[in-house]
Amino acid sequence: MSALTDLSVAELSAAMASRKASALEVADAHIARMEQHRGLNAFIAETPDRAREMARASDARRARGEAGLLEGVPLGIKDLFCTEGVATTAGSHVLEGFVPTYESTVTANLWKAGAVLMGKTNLDEFAMGSSNMTSHFGGVENPWKRRGENRKLVPGGSSGGSAAVVAARIVPGSTGTDTGGSIRQPAAFCGIVGLKPTYGRCSRWGVVAFASSLDQPGPFARSVEDTALLLQAMSGHDPKDSTSAPLAVPDFVAAARNPAIKGLKIGIPCEYRVDGTSPEIVALWEKGVAMMRDAGAEPVEVSLPHTRYALPAYYIVAPAECSSNLARYDGVRYGLRVPGKDLTEMYSNTRGAGFGKEVRRRILIGTYVLSAGYYDAYYRKAQQVRALIARDFTQAFERCDVLLTPTAPTAAFAAGDKMDDPVTMYLNDMFTIPASMAGLPGISVPAGLDKDGLPLGLQLIGRAFDETTLLGAAAALERAAGFTARAEGY
Ligand code: GLN
């Protein structure tokens, strides 16, 4: 048997089921690897004691014949999910010292399925970013480097820590959240699979809110099958989240194990051919279309005419919701408190010291677009544009079953790049944001390497609540692409 840390979720489950390894041995192997790769700065908190305790309990359950779907599987959890008794920071100074007294629904579901918490992963502050560089706890390093270069690259964001720990084989799977691309883009940058489910598929309860109408938890793993296994456990209706969909959870795992592509219509949106996309990514996209055709699918050209308005509309809607969600961090109930001579001064001292530059920028934009006189000009208009974007997709899906696009316009960039111009940073998400605005599921599959040896991802977008078709197509793309490259030294 190869090293335990090389095994996938499915392989680890099989190894534990056949008693080749105990959950405690699996946890110990991954803890050792976590300690070995601390230089990545991918965890805000490591929880080895909790991991061993959960692993022992898992072994006891298995001995009683009560093994769950993810029994004994070690996971990294984005530090945006509240975990009972384990500090949760959202990558922000303002939440330092906050220890939740409750567990998010998604993580509770994972523990119910037998999974083991290894630690809380680093992220952009309040999930605002595309590089992990806005974290109060410092940037995460991507395990991948350009061939022959030693410069540190970003893992993408905001769920960069969760993507890096899977790529570095510190854990076989992790959770992220995706508001505008924060699962799909880091997955592409780190050469792994990342799935953003349909809005409403996974409960947002207990997930620190950024933009509530867009936020959606989802899984990272090194294969489509593994993301399906995680999604299976994470999903389901939750009465505690009013936007949680009251739908039964389909068999995602079966869908991922059956690369169903024959006769499927793959939509290629012409508006995604935009300037600024790396030519290698355009070439990979074309190769992806050819691979899908060879596998039996039928490519069709489709049009999503409002695509170019998605990013500007997102940067009104998301900051608007963030400005209102983040109003709760006032030094009274959570985390940081910086005293002042009166209550008002305490509020402003706390917020001034607690929030980083990007978060402050978003709060300012959001407050502006919601203020009297501007609400109609910006916020209402952005909501109207959002409806048009959603309609584009509905019309496209009359002609195809899934869409195939690049995930991001470039490969991973160097730490510190794009930091002086927020708009350049925002452009990272031009291919992921439209599906977010429409609430649709999307998955990034690693599909090739660029000339520098960095991984590139292709994105598939599906119909609302049709993750099964999406997973089947993703499994076919994964098989055709045959991506097996690993970051050097990992
Ligand atoms: N990069 C985008 C932003 O900064 C998306 C972030 C996310 O999906 N959480 O808003």
Side-chain angles (χ1 to χ4, degrees):
M1 192 168 61
S2 40
L4 289 173
T5 49
D6 274 340
L7 302 184
S8 67
V9 172
E11 289 164 343
L12 275 175
S13 299
M16 288 184 277
S18 60
R19 305 294 200 270
K20 289 201 183 80
S22 68
L24 188 58
E25 284 162 348
V26 168
D28 279 332
H30 288 85
I31 290 167
R33 185 133 178 122
M34 179 160 74
E35 289 169 355
Q36 187 189 345
H37 292 298
R38 281 199 179 127
L40 294 174
N41 196 31
F43 285 98
I44 291 176
E46 297 177 356
T47 56
D49 296 341
R50 165 89 55 131
R52 291 197 179 97
E53 181 192 311
M54 289 175 90
R56 280 192 200 98
S58 166
D59 283 329
R61 278 193 301 273
R62 194 180 291 281
R64 292 197 300 269
E66 292 166 11
L69 183 65
L70 298 174
E71 199 57 63
V73 174
L75 298 180
I77 299 296
K78 185 179 188 179
D79 202 19
L80 201 63
F81 292 82
C82 287
T83 39
E84 191 179 345
V86 179
T88 299
T89 67
S92 182
H93 186 37
V94 92
L95 267 177
E96 257 183 270
F98 168 58
V99 181
T101 52
Y102 50 88
E103 189 75 30
S104 83
T105 298
V106 160
T107 48
N109 287 347
L110 289 167
W111 314 144
K112 229 178 286 153
V116 168
L117 171 67
M118 296 291 291
K120 304 292 294 289
T121 60
N122 203 346
L123 68 155
D124 280 300
E125 187 177 2
F126 283 103
M128 297 172 198
S130 304
S131 68
N132 243 271
M133 296 299 287
T134 74
S135 169
H136 174 67
F137 302 93
V140 174
E141 189 181 326
N142 191 328
W144 292 82
K145 288 197 166 67
R146 294 193 186 113
R147 209 180 283 120
E149 254 191 51
N150 215 13
R151 271 215 293 179
K152 288 184 182 173
L153 303 180
V154 302
S158 63
S159 316
S162 284
V165 294
V166 171
R169 290 169 154 71
I170 296 170
V171 284
S174 61
T175 64
T177 62
D178 191 312
T179 303
S182 279
I183 291 177
R184 292 160 286 165
Q185 184 253 21
F189 278 20
C190 291
I192 60 169
V193 183
L195 170 63
K196 176 202 127 36
T198 312
Y199 181 80
R201 179 63 89 188
C202 291
S203 170
R204 290 181 298 107
W205 193 81
V207 180
V208 176
F210 161 14
S212 308
S213 75
L214 295 155
D215 298 344
Q216 179 58 208
F220 287 101
R222 293 190 293 265
S223 71
V224 173
E225 180 189 14
D226 281 4
T227 51
L229 281 159
L230 295 187
L231 182 65
Q232 198 78 52
M234 292 165 72
S235 301
H237 178 235
D238 179 10
K240 288 190 285 200
D241 170 2
S242 62
T243 59
S244 164
L247 295 172
V249 179
D251 192 341
F252 298 133
V253 181
R257 284 182 181 154
N258 172 31
I261 187 82
K262 284 230 160 34
L264 215 63
K265 290 204 173 72
I266 312 284
I268 315 299
C270 51
E271 289 80 5
Y272 280 51
R273 292 195 189 95
V274 283
D275 292 346
T277 308
S278 129
E280 290 183 88
I281 289 178
V282 177
L284 181 77
W285 187 19
E286 278 158 13
K287 206 169 130 199
V289 176
M291 287 188 298
M292 299 297 262
R293 185 189 293 115
D294 292 347
E298 183 193 332
V300 289
E301 279 272 334
V302 295
S303 174
L304 301 168
H306 298 91
T307 297
R308 68 196 184 95
Y309 304 111
L311 200 80
Y314 170 88
Y315 277 101
I316 291 174
V317 173
E321 294 183 14
C322 115
S323 75
S324 129
N325 271 327
L326 271 58
R328 74 189 74 175
Y329 305 107
D330 54 8
V332 176
R333 280 163 301 200
Y334 308 90
L336 185 74
R337 175 180 300 173
V338 181
K341 68 174 185 316
D342 56 21
L343 189 63
T344 311
E345 198 180 277
M346 187 278 284
Y347 289 156
S348 53
N349 287 353
T350 300
R351 289 171 66 78
F355 292 131
K357 202 169 150 194
E358 182 62 25
V359 173
R360 287 205 297 268
R361 179 183 293 126
R362 307 250 183 145
I363 292 173
L364 287 173
I365 296 171
T367 309
Y368 178 81
V369 300
L370 289 177
S371 50
Y374 296 105
Y375 186 95
D376 287 332
Y378 294 107
Y379 186 68
R380 189 184 306 281
K381 187 146 281 160
Q383 292 289 29
Q384 288 165 339
V385 170
R386 187 175 185 177
L388 294 176
I389 292 163
R391 197 181 64 185
D392 281 357
F393 280 106
T394 307
Q395 287 170 348
F397 282 125
E398 281 164 14
R399 304 191 44 228
C400 65
D401 302 294
V402 289
L403 296 162
L404 179 70
T405 79
T407 307
T410 67
F413 46 88
D417 279 6
K418 304 184 197 235
M419 289 302 284
D420 33 0
D421 176 14
V423 175
T424 316
M425 189 66 89
Y426 296 170
L427 286 173
N428 260 288
D429 293 316
M430 62 188 182
F431 298 133
T432 47
I433 277 180
S436 302
M437 291 293 268
L440 302 176
I443 186 166
S444 181
V445 178
L449 297 177
D450 73 0
K451 60 175 186 335
D452 296 319
L454 293 182
L456 300 174
L458 287 176
Q459 174 183 224
L460 288 159
I461 300 169
R463 293 190 180 97
F465 298 107
D466 192 10
E467 285 91 351
T468 48
T469 304
L470 185 69
L471 284 162
L477 177 63
E478 175 182 54
R479 182 182 284 183
F483 184 92
T484 53
R486 288 170 66 152
E488 211 186 306
Y490 295 93

